[in-house]
Amino acid sequence: MNSTRLARAAIAGLALTGLLSACGGSGSGSGGSDSASGPVTLPFWGWANGQDAVVKAFNASHKDVQLKYTKVTDQLTMQKQLTNAVKAGNAPCLVQNTAEYVTSWVAQGALADITRYVGSAKDKFNSGSWSAAQVQGKLYGVPTSSSPNFTIYRTDVFQKYGLKAPTTWDEFIAAGKTLKKHGVKITNYAGEDPSTLEVLSMQAGAHWYAIDGNSWKVDFQDAGTLKAAQVIQQIVDNDLDSKLSFADYAAVQRNYDNGGTATRQISTWQMAGMVQNFTKSFGKWALAPWPTFTGEAAKTPAGTNLTGSVTLVTKGCTHQQQAAEAALWMSTNPGAVRTMASPTTGNGVMPALADSNAYVDEAISQKLLGPNYDPAKKVVTDSLNTVTTDWTFGPDWTAMFTELQNGWAKVVSKQQKVTDLLAHMQQWTVDDLKSRGISVEG
C-alpha cells in the first residue's frame, strides 16, 4: 500500500538540523500573478474524491486567490510526479499528502515552513493531526483529515460462538482461537501490507525513528516493537489470520461479507469499501475500541498511510502565505469539511478538527452498522482522544517501508519470525541512512 523509493533524502555531509531548518523562506517557483495584474493562481495537486468541489467553492468565495486543481491518480502516483516536479523546479504550490511522507519531503528541502502564517490555528485541530504536519516543531502543511482507529466486527459471528468484542490483544488472540475451531479467521494479514506491525508498534510506544541532536536514532527492536511482534507472532503461529492480498480487493471484501474473517482494525474511510462491495452482511457489523495491551490504558495509533492527510506548501511557491491560508480554509470551512467527510461527496474521512463530533454521522455508515450505528459514534469520537502523537517518520520512510514489505511477506507465510524481520530492518535502515550521507545512531 505504500509507494516506491523517493529521491535521496539528504545531502552528504550536512547536519540534520541544518537540513531540516533550510526549508523555510520565500521561493521563486510556482504560484501565478500578483494582485496588480489579476488574482494569484495557486496550482494544487491531489487525488481525493471531493477536492474538485472544494476548490470550486474556494474559488467562488475568493477574488484575489484562485486554486488550479489537478487530480492525480493516487498516492503512489503523487510521490512519483512530485519527485519529478521538485527536481525540475516546477512543483505545485499545494500538494495533498499523508503523514508518513512529510519528513522525507522536508529532508529534501521541498517544503516551506508555514508556521508564521497559520501556526496560530493550532487550537482548531486535534493534537494527533496537528503533530503529523510538523517536523521538529515547524509546520509544513495544514492537516486535512484524522484517523480515528477502531475495531469493526461481525456481531452475528461473535454471538453465535459466545464471544464479546475483545478489549485487549490477549482477548483478541483468545477469540481468534475460538473462531478458528469453526473455520473463521479473526483478522486478515495481506502479505504486501506490513502496516499492522507499524501501528501495533506505534500503539505499544515504539519509536523506529527519533531525532537525537544532529543525528537520527533508529530502533526497530525496542520494548514496544517487541511487544507488538509478540502479538503478531501468536496470530501467525496459530493460523488465526486470513492471508488475502489487497491486489484482489473484491475477494477480500467477499471474505468479510461471507463471514470468513470476523474483524478488521480500520478507520472511517475504509468502511466505504465495505458498503460498496457487501451484499449479505449489512446491519451485522459493530464498532469496538481498538484493543489495548493488557494492563495499559487505551491508546490508538495515529494511523498509517492513506490516513492523516495534510495539505503541504512547497518551498518553490512564490505565494507561500496565500497557499498556507488557502490550505487552512479547505481544512476549516464547514462546507468544505462536510464535503470531504461524506462518503458520498468525498472520501468519508474524519476531519482533522479538534471538534469533529458534528461529522461523525456522515463518516460512518448506518447501512453497514444497522442497529449498532448510534453506539458506534461514541467509539469513533473516543478514539480521537487517545491517538498517539509522538511517532516520527524517518527521512527514508518510503524506501524503508518497501524493504519492510518484502520481509513481511515472509512473516505471513511463516518463512521467518517477526523478530528476524526486525533485526534485518534495524541493520538495513542504519545502512540506508548512512548511504544517503545522513548521521545515524543505532
Side-chain angles (χ1 to χ4, degrees):
M1 292 173 65
N2 241 291
S3 70
T4 59
R5 195 182 190 98
L6 295 177
R8 289 190 175 272
I11 299 173
L14 289 182
L16 177 71
T17 50
L19 184 147
L20 292 182
S21 64
C23 302
S26 179
S28 58
S30 56
S33 61
D34 57 31
S35 56
S37 58
V40 169
T41 300
L42 305 174
F44 173 29
W45 290 2
W47 67 79
N49 294 334
Q51 283 187 329
D52 52 348
V54 170
V55 167
K56 287 181 181 179
F58 177 90
N59 289 342
S61 60
H62 292 77
K63 295 181 180 179
D64 296 332
V65 179
Q66 296 283 283
L67 298 178
K68 183 180 180 181
Y69 181 63
T70 299
K71 187 167 186 177
V72 178
T73 305
D74 52 33
Q75 181 181 227
L76 172 60
T77 304
M78 171 67 78
Q79 311 316 318
K80 293 178 179 177
Q81 293 187 357
L82 185 57
T83 295
N84 294 334
V86 169
K87 288 179 179 178
N90 59 3
C93 274
L94 293 163
V95 181
Q96 178 193 358
N97 231 297
T98 49
E100 69 265 33
Y101 295 108
V102 177
T103 303
S104 293
W105 287 118
V106 171
Q108 293 179 69
L111 303 183
D113 175 5
I114 60 171
T115 310
R116 62 190 179 279
Y117 303 132
V118 293
S120 61
K122 177 180 179 179
D123 291 344
K124 295 180 183 292
F125 298 90
N126 66 61
S127 57
S129 297
W130 189 257
S131 65
Q134 294 181 306
V135 176
Q136 289 190 299
K138 294 181 180 180
L139 193 69
Y140 293 93
V142 177
T144 59
S145 66
S146 55
S147 178
N149 287 281
F150 42 79
T151 300
I152 189 167
Y153 68 100
R154 281 287 294 263
T155 55
D156 57 332
V157 174
F158 270 64
Q159 289 168 2
K160 182 176 181 179
Y161 301 118
L163 297 172
K164 295 182 179 180
T167 61
T168 67
W169 288 113
D170 287 341
E171 291 179 5
F172 188 85
I173 292 167
K177 290 178 179 178
T178 297
L179 292 171
K180 178 186 174 183
K181 297 175 184 177
H182 305 282
V184 179
K185 303 294 187 180
I186 188 79
T187 191
N188 181 61
Y189 287 167
E192 74 278 7
D193 182 18
S195 60
T196 297
L197 177 57
E198 176 193 343
V199 295
L200 262 68
S201 298
M202 189 185 297
Q203 181 193 16
H207 295 91
W208 291 355
Y209 294 87
I211 296 172
D212 184 9
N214 290 344
S215 296
W216 283 94
K217 182 178 180 181
V218 173
D219 195 349
F220 282 79
Q221 297 169 299
D222 61 6
T225 305
L226 295 178
K227 188 190 302 183
Q230 186 177 38
V231 170
I232 293 169
Q233 196 65 61
Q234 289 184 72
I235 291 171
V236 172
D237 286 348
N238 287 282
D239 296 310
L240 308 183
D241 57 313
S242 301
K243 298 175 177 63
L244 299 174
S245 171
F246 287 103
D248 192 346
Y249 186 71
V252 174
Q253 298 292 9
R254 282 195 302 271
N255 182 258
Y256 290 123
D257 196 24
N258 292 333
T261 304
T263 80
R264 294 182 73 185
Q265 274 75 45
I266 61 171
S267 189
T268 53
W269 65 272
Q270 290 151 310
M271 297 171 70
M274 301 173 80
V275 173
Q276 293 163 8
N277 288 276
F278 286 3
T279 59
K280 302 176 181 178
S281 60
F282 290 119
K284 297 178 181 179
W285 294 87
L287 303 189
W290 190 280
T292 64
F293 291 94
T294 300
E296 296 186 9
K299 186 178 181 182
T300 53
T304 58
N305 53 319
L306 298 177
T307 59
S309 290
V310 293
T311 303
L312 302 173
V313 178
T314 61
K315 187 179 180 181
C317 180
T318 304
H319 301 282
Q320 293 175 7
Q321 180 172 354
Q322 290 94 328
E325 291 170 351
L328 182 63
W329 185 94
M330 289 190 286
S331 291
T332 57
N333 175 270
V337 173
R338 192 168 296 280
T339 294
M340 297 306 295
S342 169
T344 302
T345 60
N347 266 17
V349 295
M350 283 294 292
L353 300 175
D355 182 7
S356 298
N357 291 4
Y359 303 96
V360 174
D361 288 8
E362 294 183 56
I364 62 176
S365 170
Q366 188 164 17
K367 181 179 183 181
L368 181 65
L369 299 171
N372 307 305
Y373 173 74
D374 285 331
K377 298 176 189 178
K378 187 175 187 302
V379 174
V380 173
T381 54
D382 284 352
S383 74
L384 287 171
N385 297 322
T386 58
V387 171
T388 305
T389 60
D390 61 349
W391 181 261
T392 300
F393 292 100
D396 66 339
W397 183 267
T398 50
M400 181 282 294
F401 199 88
T402 299
E403 185 68 17
L404 186 66
Q405 284 178 299
N406 296 333
W408 175 257
K410 295 178 181 178
V411 168
V412 172
S413 61
K414 297 186 179 182
Q415 297 178 53
Q416 69 174 350
K417 299 290 187 181
V418 183
T419 50
D420 296 331
L421 171 59
L422 294 171
H424 169 74
M425 292 309 304
Q426 176 68 29
Q427 188 62 54
W428 187 94
T429 305
V430 169
D431 291 344
D432 183 65
L433 290 176
K434 287 180 178 178
S435 74
R436 297 167 185 263
I438 296 176
S439 178
V440 58
E441 303 171 16

